[in-house]
Amino acid sequence: MYLKVGHLRQIVPSALTFGFELVAQGTPVEGAELELDQIPAVGKCRACGVESQLPGFPLQCRECGSFDVDIVKGEELYVESLEMEE
Amino acid sequence: MHRTAVKQIVMEGVLDANDALAQANRERFDGAGNYVINMMSSPGAGKTALLERTLERMRGKLRLGILEGDVQTTLDADRLARFHVPLVQVNTDPGFGGECHLDANMVRSGLPELPLSEIDVLVIENVGNLVCPAEFKVGEDARVMVYSVTEGEEKPLKYPLMFRSADLVLVNKVDLLEHLDFDLEQFLGNLDAVNPGVERILTSARTGQGVDEWCSWLERHKV
C-alpha cells in the first residue's frame, strides 16, 4: 500500500507501520507492506508571493522571512495506490 | 501458478470517512441554524470553568448548548448541569482504550440528545489534548483554543499544528500572571510565529476578566 504523508500531518512513520502490520495479521493481507512517501511542506508567502520549502516550525518564507504563509503542500494524507498480485 | 503484480490507483484520503461525517454534521448544524465551536486545550486549562462563566453571563441572551467529550466520567457535565442548558456527555472510553480526541462519529452519536433547533451556539468541548484533536474535524464553524498561562510560553512551538488550526485563542488564568515567571509577550510572539495575527482574548475564569469580550465574540459570530 502506497501512502502519501505530508510533513505537516502528525504521523509517526514507525508507529503507523507498526500498527499497519498488527491490523494486517490474521487477515488475507497479512504481510502486506506499507510504503510511506513523505511530502515536504511548501508554503506560498502572502507578503512577497514566493513559494518556498518549509523545513520546520515556525513556518517562515525563505525569501522574505515572513511568517504569513499559505500551505501549498505538506497536509496530504491519502492512499495513493495498492499493488496486488493476481 | 503465475502471479503478476498489479498496481491500482486509489487516491483515497485516510480521513475521508471522518471528513464525510463531519460534513454531514455540519449540514445538520447549518440546517438548525447552529454556530458550532470546537473547543480544545490541554487537560486542566480551564475549558469547563470558562464555560461556567459563559453560561452565567449569557443566560437569557444566547441559547447555548454543550457537547462534552471526555475519556471517562460525567464530572464536567455534572458541573454544567445546574445551568439547565441542553447538554450531552460523550465518553470516548468505548473506543480502543479510550480515545484522546473526539471524532465526527462520536459527535454525531451525541446529537440525537440535543434539541438543535433551540440552540444558537453549540460548544463541543473536546478531550484535553494538544495533538490529536487538531487532526479530526467534527463539523465545527470555528476552533477555539483555551490556553492557560501555567503551561509555559513555548507550547505554540511544541504543538504548532493545534495552535495553527485555532481561530481564536483564549489565554486563560491571567489572574495568576503576577505569581508566575510566564512571559506573556514571549508567548504571544510564539503564537504569532505559528498562527500570525490569530485573534486572542486574555481571560480569567476565576475573576471573570475577558469573559465579556469572549461572550461578545460569541454573539458576533452566531448565525
Side-chain angles (χ1 to χ4, degrees):
Chain A
M1 181 182 288
Y2 293 89
L3 197 66
K4 293 273 189 193
V5 181
H7 271 175
L8 294 175
R9 299 310 293 242
Q10 301 173 111
I11 298 292
V12 181
S14 60
L16 187 62
T17 308
F18 177 63
F20 180 80
E21 284 167 9
L22 280 183
V23 295
Q25 271 174 26
T27 75
V29 294
E30 178 161 344
E33 287 173 35
L34 189 64
E35 286 277 336
L36 277 135
D37 182 17
Q38 299 196 56
I39 302 172
V42 174
K44 185 177 164 71
C45 180
R46 286 194 200 170
C48 74
V50 170
E51 272 190 24
S52 59
Q53 276 217 7
L54 309 166
F57 278 94
L59 304 178
Q60 190 171 17
C61 172
R62 276 197 181 173
E63 188 68 22
C64 73
S66 166
F67 293 113
D68 203 0
V69 290
D70 285 321
I71 305 298
V72 179
K73 280 184 193 163
E75 292 182 318
E76 298 80 0
L77 181 58
Y78 61 91
V79 178
E80 185 199 30
S81 59
L82 297 170
E83 194 173 304
M84 293 162 288
E85 284 185 349
E86 291 194 330
Chain B
M1 189 172 76
H2 181 68
R3 289 174 160 242
T4 27
V6 181
K7 197 167 178 178
Q8 247 183 45
I9 302 298
V10 179
M11 303 297 274
E12 189 172 314
V14 173
L15 292 177
D16 277 2
N18 183 75
D19 292 348
L21 284 172
Q23 182 58 31
N25 287 347
R26 180 72 185 262
E27 281 162 17
R28 208 158 149 185
F29 296 141
D30 286 348
N34 309 134
Y35 184 73
V36 180
I37 287 171
N38 184 356
M39 186 177 258
M40 310 190 283
S41 80
S42 320
K47 293 187 295 300
T48 310
L50 265 176
L51 283 177
E52 288 178 293
R53 296 293 88 78
T54 309
L55 290 169
E56 279 165 18
R57 206 67 58 109
M58 300 313 279
R59 203 186 308 228
K61 295 180 192 158
L62 188 71
R63 298 175 302 169
L64 281 151
I66 312 282
L67 189 146
E68 273 287 340
D70 275 305
V71 177
Q72 287 210 0
T73 81
T74 57
L75 292 170
D76 285 356
D78 296 344
R79 273 170 72 182
L80 298 177
R82 65 189 168 97
F83 295 99
H84 304 292
V85 296
L87 174 68
V88 62
Q89 173 88 44
V90 176
N91 282 124
T92 65
D93 167 61
F96 185 54
E99 291 191 69
C100 53
H101 58 273
L102 286 174
D103 63 31
N105 194 38
M106 288 185 239
V107 166
R108 185 181 66 159
S109 75
L111 296 185
E113 292 178 51
L114 289 172
L116 292 180
S117 60
E118 294 163 25
I119 293 173
D120 297 316
V121 174
L122 176 66
V123 179
I124 297 171
E125 188 181 335
N126 217 311
V127 180
N129 177 351
L130 291 183
V131 183
C132 311
E135 297 279 353
F136 293 86
K137 295 174 193 159
V138 295
E140 69 271 36
D141 292 288
R143 290 183 166 188
V144 174
M145 256 195 95
V146 179
Y147 188 74
S148 63
V149 295
T150 51
E151 296 172 62
E153 301 90 357
E154 79 293 0
K155 294 301 182 293
L157 305 179
K158 286 187 174 172
Y159 303 93
L161 291 173
M162 172 152 295
F163 282 92
R164 192 177 163 81
S165 82
D167 298 297
L168 169 68
V169 179
L170 302 174
V171 186
N172 196 29
K173 304 191 188 178
V174 290
D175 56 300
L176 292 178
L177 278 175
E178 56 179 315
H179 306 291
L180 303 171
D181 296 327
F182 184 83
D183 185 335
L184 184 62
E185 288 311 309
Q186 196 188 331
F187 167 75
L188 295 175
N190 290 340
L191 180 61
D192 277 324
V194 299
N195 193 346
V198 62
E199 284 190 82
R200 78 274 328 249
I201 300 173
L202 303 186
T203 60
S204 165
R206 194 155 170 239
T207 67
Q209 182 186 335
V211 175
D212 278 341
E213 201 183 333
W214 153 236
C215 287
S216 317
W217 190 95
L218 284 175
E219 286 190 302
R220 276 203 309 280
H221 284 81
K222 77 165 185 183
V223 182

